Amino acid sequence: MDTRLTSEQRQLRASAARIGAELGPGSVADLEDGERVARLEKAVESAGLRRLRADGASGVEVALVAEEFGRALVDVPFLGPVLAHDLLGETDADRWTVALGDRIVDARDRTRAVTVSDGRLRAVAVGAQAPETDLTRRAARPGGAFEDLAAVDEERLTRWTALALTVTTADLLGVARGAQDTAVAYAKVRAQYGHPIGDYQAVAHLLAESRALIEGAISTLLHAAWAVDELAPEPALHAARIAKVYTARAARTICETAIQVHGGIGNTWECTAHLYLRRALVSAELFPVRLEEIDCGLS
């Protein structure tokens, strides 16, 4: 396994990062800025990022975009549509997302959702908006009965599940990195007793521990993203499960640490720290993994 990115992959990552930096929400108030959201939607659509998988992109490339979008709290659909395109292939899947049980994820401006049940693809209309912990991504309820589309073989479903776990893991890593960025930036400017709080070991050690968790998550994600296309379906799924469990736990710790570093202001609505924690909690619950599914033979 070669973990080095190609020049095209580095350019893709830079492009996704640029979109997030320029058009992602810079504050909680920005979430209500319809003009910004419309420009962000146009940029993501024009770049064709939701069709990456349908256009032949690797799991690594999809993960790179998902990570940068998580880091910037990009608040237009990506995860749901890219997974829908992977399931539907060359089918005209514009405005589609995925349904998980009776919950449709990434539902903003989506009209249809696809799911897998009993080895078959099924579709449903997107219904009314549902309550959502994550303020950067909308959820919805099914808008009617599910209709049968086609059968899907077990091998394809296993590989798709590995991709789904990997993409949500990438989002979690991006969220963790974004939360860490905000905490480090705050620790550099917030002064106490005449010094930036980052000068004090109590704060510096917290941030250093978060950084160590991020490095571990990077390693597990890179392997899982590579495995999506390079390993057999079952080993790829196993790698994705391990990455998801590790990164979900790490991301929650990192986001909670970011709030702690911000002190009292970290518990206010205006501080963006809670946006990262909310997104991390929701991504952790998408495609959940049971511990018995990742038994490494150590028990």
Side-chain angles (χ1 to χ4, degrees):
M1 172 184 171
D2 188 348
T3 61
R4 294 172 297 181
L5 301 181
T6 66
S7 59
E8 291 82 5
Q9 289 170 339
R10 291 194 296 270
Q11 290 172 12
L12 176 64
R13 179 172 206 152
S15 177
R18 183 167 55 252
I19 290 173
E22 294 177 356
L23 297 172
S27 67
V28 178
D30 281 348
L31 295 174
E32 303 301 324
D33 184 349
E35 181 179 340
R36 177 197 61 80
V37 172
R39 287 187 284 121
L40 176 57
E41 168 66 29
K42 182 178 180 181
V44 173
E45 188 67 25
S46 299
L49 297 177
R50 297 185 181 113
R51 290 190 55 86
L52 278 174
R53 195 66 178 167
D55 291 339
S58 68
V60 171
E61 289 153 357
V62 176
L64 290 174
V65 176
E67 181 185 341
E68 292 300 333
F69 278 10
R71 189 175 188 176
L73 295 174
V74 165
D75 51 341
V76 297
F78 174 73
L79 184 149
V82 82
L83 293 178
H85 274 291
D86 187 73
L87 270 180
L88 298 171
E90 294 301 319
T91 304
D92 183 8
D94 290 344
R95 301 297 175 186
W96 284 68
T97 186
V98 293
L100 301 176
D102 63 350
R103 177 186 179 197
I104 297 173
V105 301
D106 263 352
R108 184 196 290 269
D109 297 329
R110 304 291 100 184
T111 58
R112 302 277 286 171
V114 63
T115 191
V116 181
S117 178
D118 298 326
R120 301 194 66 82
L121 296 182
R122 291 188 169 87
V124 69
V126 175
Q129 184 173 341
E132 183 58 275
T133 300
D134 181 3
L135 301 182
T136 65
R137 294 180 297 194
R138 290 182 181 173
R141 300 296 187 199
F146 284 84
E147 59 185 80
D148 209 16
L149 292 181
V152 57
D153 65 78
E154 186 175 349
E155 181 175 316
R156 183 182 172 206
L157 176 58
T158 300
R159 197 172 294 280
W160 179 82
T161 304
L163 175 68
L165 286 166
T166 298
V167 177
T168 54
T169 299
D171 185 79
L172 283 161
L173 174 58
V175 168
R177 294 181 66 189
Q180 174 80 343
D181 291 344
T182 62
V184 170
Y186 185 77
K188 289 179 179 178
V189 299
R190 176 69 170 95
Q192 194 67 269
Y193 304 112
H195 296 277
I197 61 173
D199 287 353
Y200 298 107
Q201 286 187 349
V203 174
H205 286 178
L206 287 173
L207 295 173
E209 289 169 3
S210 290
R211 183 63 207 181
L213 289 173
I214 287 172
E215 290 299 321
I218 290 172
S219 296
T220 61
L221 173 62
L222 281 174
H223 181 251
W226 169 83
V228 166
D229 301 299
E230 300 299 329
L231 296 184
E234 284 298 335
L237 179 58
H238 186 68
R241 284 169 171 165
I242 291 174
K244 178 68 183 291
V245 168
Y246 178 91
T247 308
R249 292 185 174 186
R252 177 167 182 168
T253 298
I254 293 163
C255 291
E256 289 176 345
T257 296
I259 292 175
Q260 183 178 355
V261 169
H262 277 81
I265 197 174
N267 292 292
T268 64
W269 182 260
E270 292 78 9
C271 181
T272 58
H274 70 91
L275 296 181
Y276 293 101
L277 179 59
R278 287 168 177 268
R279 184 156 173 156
L281 292 174
V282 171
S283 286
E285 292 301 316
L286 299 177
F287 307 99
V289 178
R290 300 189 304 273
L291 291 180
E292 58 266 28
E293 293 176 327
I294 57 171
D295 178 20
C296 298
L298 300 178
S299 57

